[in-house]
Amino acid sequence: GSFPTGFERKAALWESLATSGHELGWHMHAWTLNRGCFRFDPAAPWLEDAHRALSACFEIHATRTGWDYADSALMARLDMLGVRVDFSALPGQCAWLAVADDRIPVDWHRCPAAPYHPDRADYQSPGTLRLLEVPMTPFRRSVPDMLRQFAWRAAHGTLSPRGVRARFRMLTEEWPDALPEPSPLWAFYFHPDDLAGRSEEHTSELQSH
């Protein structure tokens, strides 16, 4: 019944992280409660209220959307709320996620791999929003994997081959020998429950480098 519950329950932890110099961000899923059931809602009417409530706990500069979902209207709303950096983009990717009874289209296959300010009318193209989109860093798929990816897209009605070579790995996954292409900025993500088992060893190896 409260938007900032996740912060308030662990306020001491979040505040200690902020004091240590970490940036706290906002991760939201576009769910709306409708007749007792949560459904995917790209035009979530609660977005501004949630931002206002959470902003009383910490200043929100950065976001990452749930399911990596975005559209032009959502990016414009985040920009209007004063968000300066968003980390949702997966350049080259198309996905159709089954969540509850909904099929959620996630489309970033046209967006740049480098950070960009989105266009107000096309979130995948550079434009004039103040918000800076920082895409996740892609690895390169093998040729057989590229073919499988293209076939999977075609089965869902998307025939564009653009971006089929890109695949993404979480920071906590074991990486192949081939690292991402050289770049002044690499961006990755992970879930808290991924920090267990073999992933602990992998993240320790990354820290040593």
Side-chain angles (χ1 to χ4, degrees):
S2 169
F3 286 116
T5 300
F7 181 93
E8 293 167 348
R9 288 181 176 174
K10 297 289 183 179
L13 170 64
W14 303 125
E15 289 166 358
S16 69
L17 288 169
T19 300
S20 299
H22 291 277
E23 176 77 19
L24 301 183
W26 182 28
H27 177 62
M28 85 297 290
H29 286 250
W31 291 96
T32 294
L33 186 62
N34 183 11
R35 298 180 182 178
C37 179
F38 279 101
R39 301 299 300 267
F40 171 63
D41 183 2
W46 45 260
L47 190 73
E48 286 77 11
D49 289 339
H51 179 271
R52 187 179 306 109
L54 196 56
S55 293
C57 301
F58 67 94
E59 196 168 356
I60 300 171
H61 298 292
T63 53
R64 178 172 169 80
T65 63
W67 309 301
D68 312 302
Y69 177 81
D71 60 22
S72 299
L74 178 57
M75 288 294 104
R77 291 173 75 187
L78 293 177
D79 183 71
M80 286 291 293
L81 289 172
V83 173
R84 290 293 171 258
V85 185
D86 180 72
F87 293 91
S88 303
L90 300 175
Q93 295 298 283
C94 292
W96 295 266
L97 306 180
V99 179
D101 294 327
D102 296 312
R103 185 170 176 263
I104 301 174
V106 179
D107 185 0
W108 290 103
H109 83 281
R110 295 183 293 102
C111 83
Y116 68 102
H117 295 276
D119 184 79
R120 187 171 299 276
D122 180 6
Y123 69 103
Q124 295 193 60
S125 297
T128 59
L129 289 184
R130 293 170 299 174
L131 178 151
L132 181 69
E133 185 62 46
V134 178
M136 294 292 105
T137 299
F139 290 79
R140 185 172 295 186
R141 293 181 188 271
S142 65
V143 172
D145 199 16
M146 288 170 60
L147 294 174
R148 285 191 292 268
Q149 174 70 3
F150 181 73
W152 184 75
R153 283 190 187 186
H156 287 80
T158 297
L159 298 178
S160 172
R162 186 171 179 175
V164 293
R165 76 175 190 172
R167 70 156 297 172
F168 295 85
R169 297 178 185 274
M170 290 187 294
L171 189 63
T172 47
E173 289 184 75
E174 188 169 3
W175 292 357
D177 292 336
L179 292 174
E181 296 178 4
S183 170
L185 176 66
W186 283 355
F188 303 96
Y189 73 96
F190 64 90
H191 302 104
D193 54 357
D194 296 323
L195 293 172
R198 178 67 184 89
S199 64
E200 287 185 302
E201 300 174 25
H202 176 59
T203 50
S204 296
E205 291 168 4
L206 287 175
Q207 289 172 352
S208 69
H209 293 296

PDB file of all heavy atoms in Angstrom, residues 169-205:
ATOM      1  N   ARG A 169      24.985 -10.740 -21.328  1.00  0.00           N
ATOM      2  CA  ARG A 169      25.310 -11.570 -20.171  1.00  0.00           C
ATOM      3  C   ARG A 169      25.274 -10.693 -18.925  1.00  0.00           C
ATOM      4  O   ARG A 169      25.722  -9.545 -18.948  1.00  0.00           O
ATOM      5  CB  ARG A 169      26.696 -12.202 -20.316  1.00  0.00           C
ATOM      6  CG  ARG A 169      26.827 -13.156 -21.493  1.00  0.00           C
ATOM      7  CD  ARG A 169      28.237 -13.696 -21.606  1.00  0.00           C
ATOM      8  NE  ARG A 169      28.395 -14.522 -22.795  1.00  0.00           N
ATOM      9  CZ  ARG A 169      28.109 -15.809 -22.842  1.00  0.00           C
ATOM     10  NH1 ARG A 169      27.667 -16.425 -21.757  1.00  0.00           N
ATOM     11  NH2 ARG A 169      28.273 -16.499 -23.958  1.00  0.00           N
ATOM     12  N   MET A 170      24.757 -11.249 -17.863  1.00  0.00           N
ATOM     13  CA  MET A 170      24.766 -10.513 -16.605  1.00  0.00           C
ATOM     14  C   MET A 170      26.181 -10.485 -16.031  1.00  0.00           C
ATOM     15  O   MET A 170      27.017 -11.339 -16.343  1.00  0.00           O
ATOM     16  CB  MET A 170      23.790 -11.142 -15.616  1.00  0.00           C
ATOM     17  CG  MET A 170      22.341 -10.937 -15.995  1.00  0.00           C
ATOM     18  SD  MET A 170      21.182 -11.496 -14.721  1.00  0.00           S
ATOM     19  CE  MET A 170      21.484 -13.253 -14.730  1.00  0.00           C
ATOM     20  N   LEU A 171      26.432  -9.521 -15.181  1.00  0.00           N
ATOM     21  CA  LEU A 171      27.743  -9.381 -14.557  1.00  0.00           C
ATOM     22  C   LEU A 171      28.099 -10.631 -13.757  1.00  0.00           C
ATOM     23  O   LEU A 171      29.275 -10.964 -13.593  1.00  0.00           O
ATOM     24  CB  LEU A 171      27.741  -8.149 -13.646  1.00  0.00           C
ATOM     25  CG  LEU A 171      29.080  -7.705 -13.056  1.00  0.00           C
ATOM     26  CD1 LEU A 171      30.035  -7.297 -14.166  1.00  0.00           C
ATOM     27  CD2 LEU A 171      28.869  -6.541 -12.104  1.00  0.00           C
ATOM     28  N   THR A 172      27.098 -11.341 -13.272  1.00  0.00           N
ATOM     29  CA  THR A 172      27.321 -12.508 -12.426  1.00  0.00           C
ATOM     30  C   THR A 172      27.462 -13.808 -13.212  1.00  0.00           C
ATOM     31  O   THR A 172      27.724 -14.855 -12.622  1.00  0.00           O
ATOM     32  CB  THR A 172      26.158 -12.652 -11.435  1.00  0.00           C
ATOM     33  OG1 THR A 172      24.919 -12.517 -12.154  1.00  0.00           O
ATOM     34  CG2 THR A 172      26.219 -11.576 -10.360  1.00  0.00           C
ATOM     35  N   GLU A 173      27.247 -13.764 -14.539  1.00  0.00           N
ATOM     36  CA  GLU A 173      27.414 -14.965 -15.350  1.00  0.00           C
ATOM     37  C   GLU A 173      28.886 -15.207 -15.658  1.00  0.00           C
ATOM     38  O   GLU A 173      29.694 -14.275 -15.685  1.00  0.00           O
ATOM     39  CB  GLU A 173      26.664 -14.825 -16.675  1.00  0.00           C
ATOM     40  CG  GLU A 173      25.166 -14.882 -16.579  1.00  0.00           C
ATOM     41  CD  GLU A 173      24.535 -14.826 -17.957  1.00  0.00           C
ATOM     42  OE1 GLU A 173      24.592 -15.847 -18.671  1.00  0.00           O
ATOM     43  OE2 GLU A 173      24.011 -13.764 -18.313  1.00  0.00           O
ATOM     44  N   GLU A 174      29.205 -16.475 -15.939  1.00  0.00           N
ATOM     45  CA  GLU A 174      30.554 -16.771 -16.412  1.00  0.00           C
ATOM     46  C   GLU A 174      30.655 -16.333 -17.866  1.00  0.00           C
ATOM     47  O   GLU A 174      29.838 -16.707 -18.706  1.00  0.00           O
ATOM     48  CB  GLU A 174      30.837 -18.263 -16.293  1.00  0.00           C
ATOM     49  CG  GLU A 174      32.278 -18.612 -16.581  1.00  0.00           C
ATOM     50  CD  GLU A 174      32.629 -20.031 -16.203  1.00  0.00           C
ATOM     51  OE1 GLU A 174      31.724 -20.762 -15.768  1.00  0.00           O
ATOM     52  OE2 GLU A 174      33.813 -20.403 -16.334  1.00  0.00           O
ATOM     53  N   TRP A 175      31.668 -15.540 -18.170  1.00  0.00           N
ATOM     54  CA  TRP A 175      31.829 -15.015 -19.511  1.00  0.00           C
ATOM     55  C   TRP A 175      32.722 -15.923 -20.347  1.00  0.00           C
ATOM     56  O   TRP A 175      33.601 -16.595 -19.810  1.00  0.00           O
ATOM     57  CB  TRP A 175      32.456 -13.622 -19.468  1.00  0.00           C
ATOM     58  CG  TRP A 175      31.579 -12.572 -18.878  1.00  0.00           C
ATOM     59  CD1 TRP A 175      30.289 -12.704 -18.444  1.00  0.00           C
ATOM     60  CD2 TRP A 175      31.920 -11.207 -18.637  1.00  0.00           C
ATOM     61  NE1 TRP A 175      29.807 -11.525 -17.962  1.00  0.00           N
ATOM     62  CE2 TRP A 175      30.794 -10.575 -18.060  1.00  0.00           C
ATOM     63  CE3 TRP A 175      33.067 -10.460 -18.847  1.00  0.00           C
ATOM     64  CZ2 TRP A 175      30.785  -9.237 -17.714  1.00  0.00           C
ATOM     65  CZ3 TRP A 175      33.068  -9.126 -18.494  1.00  0.00           C
ATOM     66  CH2 TRP A 175      31.938  -8.510 -17.938  1.00  0.00           C
ATOM     67  N   PRO A 176      32.526 -15.912 -21.670  1.00  0.00           N
ATOM     68  CA  PRO A 176      33.462 -16.635 -22.547  1.00  0.00           C
ATOM     69  C   PRO A 176      34.791 -15.899 -22.593  1.00  0.00           C
ATOM     70  O   PRO A 176      34.936 -14.801 -22.043  1.00  0.00           O
ATOM     71  CB  PRO A 176      32.760 -16.603 -23.901  1.00  0.00           C
ATOM     72  CG  PRO A 176      31.941 -15.357 -23.858  1.00  0.00           C
ATOM     73  CD  PRO A 176      31.481 -15.232 -22.421  1.00  0.00           C
ATOM     74  N   ASP A 177      35.762 -16.483 -23.280  1.00  0.00           N
ATOM     75  CA  ASP A 177      37.071 -15.832 -23.376  1.00  0.00           C
ATOM     76  C   ASP A 177      36.975 -14.496 -24.100  1.00  0.00           C
ATOM     77  O   ASP A 177      37.708 -13.560 -23.812  1.00  0.00           O
ATOM     78  CB  ASP A 177      38.056 -16.747 -24.118  1.00  0.00           C
ATOM     79  CG  ASP A 177      38.395 -17.994 -23.311  1.00  0.00           C
ATOM     80  OD1 ASP A 177      38.264 -17.933 -22.069  1.00  0.00           O
ATOM     81  OD2 ASP A 177      38.764 -19.013 -23.908  1.00  0.00           O
ATOM     82  N   ALA A 178      36.061 -14.417 -25.080  1.00  0.00           N
ATOM     83  CA  ALA A 178      35.922 -13.182 -25.844  1.00  0.00           C
ATOM     84  C   ALA A 178      35.152 -12.144 -25.037  1.00  0.00           C
ATOM     85  O   ALA A 178      33.987 -12.348 -24.693  1.00  0.00           O
ATOM     86  CB  ALA A 178      35.199 -13.457 -27.153  1.00  0.00           C
ATOM     87  N   LEU A 179      35.806 -11.036 -24.738  1.00  0.00           N
ATOM     88  CA  LEU A 179      35.159  -9.941 -24.023  1.00  0.00           C
ATOM     89  C   LEU A 179      34.400  -9.064 -25.015  1.00  0.00           C
ATOM     90  O   LEU A 179      34.590  -9.176 -26.226  1.00  0.00           O
ATOM     91  CB  LEU A 179      36.205  -9.117 -23.277  1.00  0.00           C
ATOM     92  CG  LEU A 179      36.895  -9.810 -22.101  1.00  0.00           C
ATOM     93  CD1 LEU A 179      37.998  -8.916 -21.565  1.00  0.00           C
ATOM     94  CD2 LEU A 179      35.905 -10.124 -20.998  1.00  0.00           C
ATOM     95  N   PRO A 180      33.537  -8.183 -24.524  1.00  0.00           N
ATOM     96  CA  PRO A 180      32.866  -7.250 -25.439  1.00  0.00           C
ATOM     97  C   PRO A 180      33.886  -6.408 -26.202  1.00  0.00           C
ATOM     98  O   PRO A 180      35.050  -6.305 -25.804  1.00  0.00           O
ATOM     99  CB  PRO A 180      32.020  -6.381 -24.505  1.00  0.00           C
ATOM    100  CG  PRO A 180      31.852  -7.199 -23.282  1.00  0.00           C
ATOM    101  CD  PRO A 180      33.114  -7.996 -23.136  1.00  0.00           C
ATOM    102  N   GLU A 181      33.434  -5.805 -27.296  1.00  0.00           N
ATOM    103  CA  GLU A 181      34.326  -4.964 -28.083  1.00  0.00           C
ATOM    104  C   GLU A 181      34.798  -3.774 -27.243  1.00  0.00           C
ATOM    105  O   GLU A 181      34.080  -3.299 -26.369  1.00  0.00           O
ATOM    106  CB  GLU A 181      33.599  -4.480 -29.333  1.00  0.00           C
ATOM    107  CG  GLU A 181      33.215  -5.600 -30.281  1.00  0.00           C
ATOM    108  CD  GLU A 181      32.463  -5.094 -31.494  1.00  0.00           C
ATOM    109  OE1 GLU A 181      32.306  -3.864 -31.626  1.00  0.00           O
ATOM    110  OE2 GLU A 181      32.052  -5.933 -32.311  1.00  0.00           O
ATOM    111  N   PRO A 182      36.021  -3.299 -27.491  1.00  0.00           N
ATOM    112  CA  PRO A 182      36.548  -2.166 -26.726  1.00  0.00           C
ATOM    113  C   PRO A 182      35.601  -0.977 -26.759  1.00  0.00           C
ATOM    114  O   PRO A 182      35.025  -0.657 -27.794  1.00  0.00           O
ATOM    115  CB  PRO A 182      37.868  -1.850 -27.445  1.00  0.00           C
ATOM    116  CG  PRO A 182      38.266  -3.138 -28.089  1.00  0.00           C
ATOM    117  CD  PRO A 182      36.969  -3.792 -28.499  1.00  0.00           C
ATOM    118  N   SER A 183      35.440  -0.349 -25.614  1.00  0.00           N
ATOM    119  CA  SER A 183      34.534   0.789 -25.501  1.00  0.00           C
ATOM    120  C   SER A 183      34.949   1.623 -24.295  1.00  0.00           C
ATOM    121  O   SER A 183      35.482   1.084 -23.320  1.00  0.00           O
ATOM    122  CB  SER A 183      33.097   0.289 -25.316  1.00  0.00           C
ATOM    123  OG  SER A 183      32.235   1.353 -24.979  1.00  0.00           O
ATOM    124  N   PRO A 184      34.731   2.938 -24.342  1.00  0.00           N
ATOM    125  CA  PRO A 184      35.046   3.763 -23.166  1.00  0.00           C
ATOM    126  C   PRO A 184      34.103   3.496 -22.001  1.00  0.00           C
ATOM    127  O   PRO A 184      34.365   3.915 -20.877  1.00  0.00           O
ATOM    128  CB  PRO A 184      34.893   5.196 -23.685  1.00  0.00           C
ATOM    129  CG  PRO A 184      33.971   5.066 -24.854  1.00  0.00           C
ATOM    130  CD  PRO A 184      34.272   3.741 -25.477  1.00  0.00           C
ATOM    131  N   LEU A 185      32.976   2.801 -22.263  1.00  0.00           N
ATOM    132  CA  LEU A 185      31.999   2.540 -21.205  1.00  0.00           C
ATOM    133  C   LEU A 185      31.369   1.167 -21.410  1.00  0.00           C
ATOM    134  O   LEU A 185      30.860   0.870 -22.488  1.00  0.00           O
ATOM    135  CB  LEU A 185      30.903   3.615 -21.224  1.00  0.00           C
ATOM    136  CG  LEU A 185      29.747   3.421 -20.240  1.00  0.00           C
ATOM    137  CD1 LEU A 185      30.247   3.555 -18.809  1.00  0.00           C
ATOM    138  CD2 LEU A 185      28.641   4.431 -20.522  1.00  0.00           C
ATOM    139  N   TRP A 186      31.421   0.327 -20.376  1.00  0.00           N
ATOM    140  CA  TRP A 186      30.713  -0.949 -20.371  1.00  0.00           C
ATOM    141  C   TRP A 186      29.634  -0.879 -19.298  1.00  0.00           C
ATOM    142  O   TRP A 186      29.865  -0.355 -18.208  1.00  0.00           O
ATOM    143  CB  TRP A 186      31.649  -2.107 -20.047  1.00  0.00           C
ATOM    144  CG  TRP A 186      32.533  -2.532 -21.182  1.00  0.00           C
ATOM    145  CD1 TRP A 186      32.508  -2.067 -22.456  1.00  0.00           C
ATOM    146  CD2 TRP A 186      33.579  -3.507 -21.128  1.00  0.00           C
ATOM    147  NE1 TRP A 186      33.471  -2.699 -23.218  1.00  0.00           N
ATOM    148  CE2 TRP A 186      34.144  -3.587 -22.423  1.00  0.00           C
ATOM    149  CE3 TRP A 186      34.093  -4.324 -20.118  1.00  0.00           C
ATOM    150  CZ2 TRP A 186      35.191  -4.452 -22.731  1.00  0.00           C
ATOM    151  CZ3 TRP A 186      35.138  -5.179 -20.422  1.00  0.00           C
ATOM    152  CH2 TRP A 186      35.670  -5.238 -21.724  1.00  0.00           C
ATOM    153  N   ALA A 187      28.463  -1.381 -19.575  1.00  0.00           N
ATOM    154  CA  ALA A 187      27.354  -1.382 -18.609  1.00  0.00           C
ATOM    155  C   ALA A 187      26.778  -2.792 -18.521  1.00  0.00           C
ATOM    156  O   ALA A 187      26.492  -3.416 -19.553  1.00  0.00           O
ATOM    157  CB  ALA A 187      26.277  -0.390 -19.034  1.00  0.00           C
ATOM    158  N   PHE A 188      26.617  -3.292 -17.307  1.00  0.00           N
ATOM    159  CA  PHE A 188      26.067  -4.624 -17.062  1.00  0.00           C
ATOM    160  C   PHE A 188      25.075  -4.551 -15.906  1.00  0.00           C
ATOM    161  O   PHE A 188      25.000  -3.550 -15.199  1.00  0.00           O
ATOM    162  CB  PHE A 188      27.181  -5.623 -16.717  1.00  0.00           C
ATOM    163  CG  PHE A 188      28.250  -5.717 -17.770  1.00  0.00           C
ATOM    164  CD1 PHE A 188      29.414  -4.976 -17.657  1.00  0.00           C
ATOM    165  CD2 PHE A 188      28.085  -6.528 -18.875  1.00  0.00           C
ATOM    166  CE1 PHE A 188      30.393  -5.042 -18.632  1.00  0.00           C
ATOM    167  CE2 PHE A 188      29.062  -6.611 -19.850  1.00  0.00           C
ATOM    168  CZ  PHE A 188      30.221  -5.860 -19.729  1.00  0.00           C
ATOM    169  N   TYR A 189      24.337  -5.628 -15.697  1.00  0.00           N
ATOM    170  CA  TYR A 189      23.412  -5.671 -14.567  1.00  0.00           C
ATOM    171  C   TYR A 189      23.407  -7.074 -13.975  1.00  0.00           C
ATOM    172  O   TYR A 189      23.962  -8.019 -14.545  1.00  0.00           O
ATOM    173  CB  TYR A 189      21.997  -5.263 -15.007  1.00  0.00           C
ATOM    174  CG  TYR A 189      21.273  -6.308 -15.837  1.00  0.00           C
ATOM    175  CD1 TYR A 189      20.383  -7.207 -15.242  1.00  0.00           C
ATOM    176  CD2 TYR A 189      21.481  -6.398 -17.208  1.00  0.00           C
ATOM    177  CE1 TYR A 189      19.729  -8.165 -16.005  1.00  0.00           C
ATOM    178  CE2 TYR A 189      20.833  -7.352 -17.970  1.00  0.00           C
ATOM    179  CZ  TYR A 189      19.951  -8.232 -17.356  1.00  0.00           C
ATOM    180  OH  TYR A 189      19.319  -9.180 -18.103  1.00  0.00           O
ATOM    181  N   PHE A 190      22.803  -7.204 -12.818  1.00  0.00           N
ATOM    182  CA  PHE A 190      22.583  -8.507 -12.197  1.00  0.00           C
ATOM    183  C   PHE A 190      21.433  -8.365 -11.219  1.00  0.00           C
ATOM    184  O   PHE A 190      21.012  -7.255 -10.888  1.00  0.00           O
ATOM    185  CB  PHE A 190      23.846  -9.012 -11.480  1.00  0.00           C
ATOM    186  CG  PHE A 190      24.275  -8.162 -10.312  1.00  0.00           C
ATOM    187  CD1 PHE A 190      23.803  -8.410  -9.023  1.00  0.00           C
ATOM    188  CD2 PHE A 190      25.149  -7.102 -10.499  1.00  0.00           C
ATOM    189  CE1 PHE A 190      24.194  -7.619  -7.962  1.00  0.00           C
ATOM    190  CE2 PHE A 190      25.543  -6.301  -9.433  1.00  0.00           C
ATOM    191  CZ  PHE A 190      25.064  -6.563  -8.163  1.00  0.00           C
ATOM    192  N   HIS A 191      20.899  -9.497 -10.769  1.00  0.00           N
ATOM    193  CA  HIS A 191      19.863  -9.508  -9.743  1.00  0.00           C
ATOM    194  C   HIS A 191      20.499  -9.889  -8.411  1.00  0.00           C
ATOM    195  O   HIS A 191      21.440 -10.684  -8.389  1.00  0.00           O
ATOM    196  CB  HIS A 191      18.767 -10.519 -10.094  1.00  0.00           C
ATOM    197  CG  HIS A 191      18.121 -10.245 -11.416  1.00  0.00           C
ATOM    198  ND1 HIS A 191      18.391 -10.983 -12.553  1.00  0.00           N
ATOM    199  CD2 HIS A 191      17.230  -9.300 -11.789  1.00  0.00           C
ATOM    200  CE1 HIS A 191      17.687 -10.512 -13.561  1.00  0.00           C
ATOM    201  NE2 HIS A 191      16.972  -9.489 -13.125  1.00  0.00           N
ATOM    202  N   PRO A 192      20.019  -9.358  -7.293  1.00  0.00           N
ATOM    203  CA  PRO A 192      20.627  -9.694  -6.007  1.00  0.00           C
ATOM    204  C   PRO A 192      20.711 -11.195  -5.737  1.00  0.00           C
ATOM    205  O   PRO A 192      21.694 -11.667  -5.181  1.00  0.00           O
ATOM    206  CB  PRO A 192      19.709  -8.993  -4.992  1.00  0.00           C
ATOM    207  CG  PRO A 192      19.142  -7.842  -5.747  1.00  0.00           C
ATOM    208  CD  PRO A 192      18.965  -8.329  -7.154  1.00  0.00           C
ATOM    209  N   ASP A 193      19.681 -11.954  -6.162  1.00  0.00           N
ATOM    210  CA  ASP A 193      19.713 -13.387  -5.874  1.00  0.00           C
ATOM    211  C   ASP A 193      20.664 -14.142  -6.807  1.00  0.00           C
ATOM    212  O   ASP A 193      20.836 -15.353  -6.676  1.00  0.00           O
ATOM    213  CB  ASP A 193      18.309 -14.005  -5.919  1.00  0.00           C
ATOM    214  CG  ASP A 193      17.582 -13.724  -7.222  1.00  0.00           C
ATOM    215  OD1 ASP A 193      18.149 -12.999  -8.067  1.00  0.00           O
ATOM    216  OD2 ASP A 193      16.466 -14.230  -7.392  1.00  0.00           O
ATOM    217  N   ASP A 194      21.301 -13.423  -7.751  1.00  0.00           N
ATOM    218  CA  ASP A 194      22.329 -14.060  -8.573  1.00  0.00           C
ATOM    219  C   ASP A 194      23.675 -14.110  -7.860  1.00  0.00           C
ATOM    220  O   ASP A 194      24.605 -14.768  -8.335  1.00  0.00           O
ATOM    221  CB  ASP A 194      22.517 -13.291  -9.891  1.00  0.00           C
ATOM    222  CG  ASP A 194      21.277 -13.327 -10.766  1.00  0.00           C
ATOM    223  OD1 ASP A 194      20.611 -14.383 -10.796  1.00  0.00           O
ATOM    224  OD2 ASP A 194      20.968 -12.305 -11.406  1.00  0.00           O
ATOM    225  N   LEU A 195      23.795 -13.384  -6.752  1.00  0.00           N
ATOM    226  CA  LEU A 195      25.075 -13.306  -6.045  1.00  0.00           C
ATOM    227  C   LEU A 195      25.255 -14.505  -5.119  1.00  0.00           C
ATOM    228  O   LEU A 195      25.353 -14.379  -3.905  1.00  0.00           O
ATOM    229  CB  LEU A 195      25.157 -12.004  -5.243  1.00  0.00           C
ATOM    230  CG  LEU A 195      25.224 -10.731  -6.090  1.00  0.00           C
ATOM    231  CD1 LEU A 195      25.106  -9.511  -5.193  1.00  0.00           C
ATOM    232  CD2 LEU A 195      26.526 -10.691  -6.870  1.00  0.00           C
ATOM    233  N   ALA A 196      25.310 -15.672  -5.684  1.00  0.00           N
ATOM    234  CA  ALA A 196      25.479 -16.894  -4.891  1.00  0.00           C
ATOM    235  C   ALA A 196      26.143 -17.941  -5.766  1.00  0.00           C
ATOM    236  O   ALA A 196      26.097 -17.874  -6.997  1.00  0.00           O
ATOM    237  CB  ALA A 196      24.124 -17.403  -4.394  1.00  0.00           C
ATOM    238  N   GLY A 197      26.774 -18.920  -5.123  1.00  0.00           N
ATOM    239  CA  GLY A 197      27.359 -20.036  -5.843  1.00  0.00           C
ATOM    240  C   GLY A 197      28.504 -19.618  -6.739  1.00  0.00           C
ATOM    241  O   GLY A 197      29.360 -18.820  -6.368  1.00  0.00           O
ATOM    242  N   ARG A 198      28.507 -20.155  -7.961  1.00  0.00           N
ATOM    243  CA  ARG A 198      29.607 -19.911  -8.896  1.00  0.00           C
ATOM    244  C   ARG A 198      29.746 -18.438  -9.247  1.00  0.00           C
ATOM    245  O   ARG A 198      30.857 -17.960  -9.535  1.00  0.00           O
ATOM    246  CB  ARG A 198      29.367 -20.733 -10.173  1.00  0.00           C
ATOM    247  CG  ARG A 198      30.420 -20.534 -11.268  1.00  0.00           C
ATOM    248  CD  ARG A 198      31.778 -21.065 -10.866  1.00  0.00           C
ATOM    249  NE  ARG A 198      32.795 -20.795 -11.877  1.00  0.00           N
ATOM    250  CZ  ARG A 198      33.540 -19.702 -11.919  1.00  0.00           C
ATOM    251  NH1 ARG A 198      33.384 -18.751 -11.014  1.00  0.00           N
ATOM    252  NH2 ARG A 198      34.459 -19.551 -12.854  1.00  0.00           N
ATOM    253  N   SER A 199      28.661 -17.695  -9.215  1.00  0.00           N
ATOM    254  CA  SER A 199      28.733 -16.287  -9.583  1.00  0.00           C
ATOM    255  C   SER A 199      29.625 -15.496  -8.628  1.00  0.00           C
ATOM    256  O   SER A 199      30.234 -14.501  -9.011  1.00  0.00           O
ATOM    257  CB  SER A 199      27.336 -15.668  -9.625  1.00  0.00           C
ATOM    258  OG  SER A 199      26.751 -15.678  -8.346  1.00  0.00           O
ATOM    259  N   GLU A 200      29.724 -15.942  -7.366  1.00  0.00           N
ATOM    260  CA  GLU A 200      30.601 -15.262  -6.423  1.00  0.00           C
ATOM    261  C   GLU A 200      32.054 -15.339  -6.891  1.00  0.00           C
ATOM    262  O   GLU A 200      32.805 -14.380  -6.811  1.00  0.00           O
ATOM    263  CB  GLU A 200      30.464 -15.887  -5.031  1.00  0.00           C
ATOM    264  CG  GLU A 200      29.161 -15.547  -4.327  1.00  0.00           C
ATOM    265  CD  GLU A 200      29.145 -16.103  -2.920  1.00  0.00           C
ATOM    266  OE1 GLU A 200      29.288 -17.329  -2.755  1.00  0.00           O
ATOM    267  OE2 GLU A 200      28.982 -15.299  -1.980  1.00  0.00           O
ATOM    268  N   GLU A 201      32.443 -16.511  -7.389  1.00  0.00           N
ATOM    269  CA  GLU A 201      33.800 -16.674  -7.887  1.00  0.00           C
ATOM    270  C   GLU A 201      34.026 -15.810  -9.118  1.00  0.00           C
ATOM    271  O   GLU A 201      35.076 -15.191  -9.275  1.00  0.00           O
ATOM    272  CB  GLU A 201      34.051 -18.146  -8.238  1.00  0.00           C
ATOM    273  CG  GLU A 201      33.904 -19.105  -7.066  1.00  0.00           C
ATOM    274  CD  GLU A 201      34.019 -20.553  -7.516  1.00  0.00           C
ATOM    275  OE1 GLU A 201      34.668 -20.798  -8.567  1.00  0.00           O
ATOM    276  OE2 GLU A 201      33.464 -21.434  -6.846  1.00  0.00           O
ATOM    277  N   HIS A 202      33.028 -15.754  -9.994  1.00  0.00           N
ATOM    278  CA  HIS A 202      33.174 -14.975 -11.225  1.00  0.00           C
ATOM    279  C   HIS A 202      33.320 -13.492 -10.917  1.00  0.00           C
ATOM    280  O   HIS A 202      34.192 -12.812 -11.473  1.00  0.00           O
ATOM    281  CB  HIS A 202      31.979 -15.210 -12.145  1.00  0.00           C
ATOM    282  CG  HIS A 202      32.010 -14.383 -13.391  1.00  0.00           C
ATOM    283  ND1 HIS A 202      33.045 -14.445 -14.297  1.00  0.00           N
ATOM    284  CD2 HIS A 202      31.141 -13.459 -13.878  1.00  0.00           C
ATOM    285  CE1 HIS A 202      32.815 -13.598 -15.291  1.00  0.00           C
ATOM    286  NE2 HIS A 202      31.668 -12.987 -15.056  1.00  0.00           N
ATOM    287  N   THR A 203      32.487 -12.965 -10.027  1.00  0.00           N
ATOM    288  CA  THR A 203      32.572 -11.536  -9.708  1.00  0.00           C
ATOM    289  C   THR A 203      33.882 -11.215  -8.992  1.00  0.00           C
ATOM    290  O   THR A 203      34.436 -10.138  -9.158  1.00  0.00           O
ATOM    291  CB  THR A 203      31.368 -11.085  -8.852  1.00  0.00           C
ATOM    292  OG1 THR A 203      31.204 -11.982  -7.750  1.00  0.00           O
ATOM    293  CG2 THR A 203      30.091 -11.088  -9.678  1.00  0.00           C
ATOM    294  N   SER A 204      34.402 -12.164  -8.213  1.00  0.00           N
ATOM    295  CA  SER A 204      35.707 -11.955  -7.578  1.00  0.00           C
ATOM    296  C   SER A 204      36.804 -11.864  -8.626  1.00  0.00           C
ATOM    297  O   SER A 204      37.733 -11.039  -8.530  1.00  0.00           O
ATOM    298  CB  SER A 204      36.025 -13.088  -6.600  1.00  0.00           C
ATOM    299  OG  SER A 204      35.095 -13.102  -5.535  1.00  0.00           O
ATOM    300  N   GLU A 205      36.697 -12.695  -9.683  1.00  0.00           N
ATOM    301  CA  GLU A 205      37.680 -12.651 -10.761  1.00  0.00           C
ATOM    302  C   GLU A 205      37.625 -11.306 -11.482  1.00  0.00           C
ATOM    303  O   GLU A 205      38.654 -10.721 -11.817  1.00  0.00           O
ATOM    304  CB  GLU A 205      37.404 -13.785 -11.766  1.00  0.00           C
ATOM    305  CG  GLU A 205      37.687 -15.176 -11.209  1.00  0.00           C
ATOM    306  CD  GLU A 205      37.127 -16.280 -12.099  1.00  0.00           C
ATOM    307  OE1 GLU A 205      36.590 -15.915 -13.184  1.00  0.00           O
ATOM    308  OE2 GLU A 205      37.216 -17.457 -11.728  1.00  0.00           O
TER     309      GLU A 205
END
